[in-house]
């Protein structure tokens, strides 16, 4: 066991965790935030477990909890500002960017970072940015529409 200090959505957690505990399991089982999903059984393929580590989108099944010691994490629960949805969350709602929603937390976290780095993306760039997120419901058309709409909304 190792004691770690991790700031999650602005709150610091000091916890004793098994050395081999994955970061996604720490977030879900220790911190209790279950918006971050596991879809590909920890293979790093689906992107459902994507979070921000110090502002960078990362797949939390590919990291150990101990690697987050001393760092800041944002999960999908931290995207809304004072209960107001982020522009990207609003766009997903308005553009029907999800069906079952299982992939959605990961898509939102990845595309939030994507739009911060590329505020005026082409559709091709959006599609390329989504390579690390598997969605088996939407066919991606509405996801791309939502990201495009969010970019416009942020710019205005
Ligand atoms: S659960 Fe992490 S990439 Fe699939
Ligand atoms: S909305 Fe169902 S997997 Fe993406």
């Amino acid at each position: 066991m190792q004691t770690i200090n991790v700031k999650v959505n602005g709150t610091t957690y000091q916890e004793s965790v098994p050395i081999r505990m994955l970061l996604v399991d720490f977030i879900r089982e220790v911190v209790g935030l279950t918006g971050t999903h596991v879809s590909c059984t920890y293979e790093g393929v689906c992107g459902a477990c994507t979070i921000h580590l110090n502002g960078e989108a990362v797949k939390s099944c590919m990291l150990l909890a101990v690697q987050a010691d001393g760092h800041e994490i944002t999960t999908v629960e931290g995207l809304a500002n004072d209960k107001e949805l982020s522009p990207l969350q609003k766009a997903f709602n308005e553009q029907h960017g999800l069906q079952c929603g299982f992939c959605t937390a990961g898509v939102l976290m990845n595309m939030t970072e994507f739009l911060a780095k590329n505020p005026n993306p082409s559709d091709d760039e959006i599609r390329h940015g989504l390579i690390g997120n598997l969605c088996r419901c939407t066919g991606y058309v509405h996801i791309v529409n939502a990201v495009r709409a969010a970019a416009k909304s942020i710019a205005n």
Side-chain angles (χ1 to χ4, degrees):
M1 300 290 278
Q2 183 169 322
T3 300
I4 60 173
N5 286 281
V6 185
K7 192 179 269 192
V8 183
N9 301 333
T11 300
T12 300
Y13 294 83
Q14 183 177 67
E15 303 287 349
S16 180
V17 297
I19 298 287
R20 289 172 182 268
M21 176 176 253
L22 295 174
L23 182 55
V24 66
D25 292 335
F26 172 76
I27 292 167
R28 289 178 55 83
E29 295 169 16
V30 179
V31 180
L33 294 174
T34 54
T36 302
H37 290 164
V38 174
S39 185
C40 67
T41 54
Y42 311 103
E43 290 176 351
V45 174
C46 71
C49 64
T50 304
I51 58 149
H52 292 178
L53 180 66
N54 300 330
E56 296 283 324
V58 296
K59 292 175 178 174
S60 59
C61 75
M62 293 281 96
L63 291 166
L64 298 170
V66 293
Q67 291 177 289
D69 185 24
H71 298 291
E72 290 192 26
I73 285 173
T74 306
T75 69
V76 69
E77 290 90 345
L79 275 190
N81 182 9
D82 226 8
K83 302 221 186 296
E84 181 171 345
L85 295 179
S86 74
L88 186 60
Q89 288 174 308
K90 279 185 196 159
F92 266 70
N93 182 25
E94 290 161 5
Q95 301 290 329
H96 311 292
L98 60 138
Q99 288 185 29
C100 79
F102 202 83
C103 70
T104 307
V107 174
L108 288 169
M109 299 312 290
N110 186 26
M111 288 293 103
T112 295
E113 187 215 33
F114 171 84
L115 286 175
K117 289 183 173 167
N118 187 355
N120 187 25
S122 67
D123 281 10
D124 278 352
E125 287 171 330
I126 295 171
R127 288 180 196 283
H128 190 263
L130 286 164
I131 278 176
N133 294 99
L134 298 184
C135 174
R136 30 180 201 185
C137 305
T138 65
Y140 293 92
V141 172
H142 291 283
I143 293 178
V144 173
N145 290 346
V147 176
R148 190 191 316 112
K152 277 190 192 146
S153 148
I154 293 166
N156 290 329

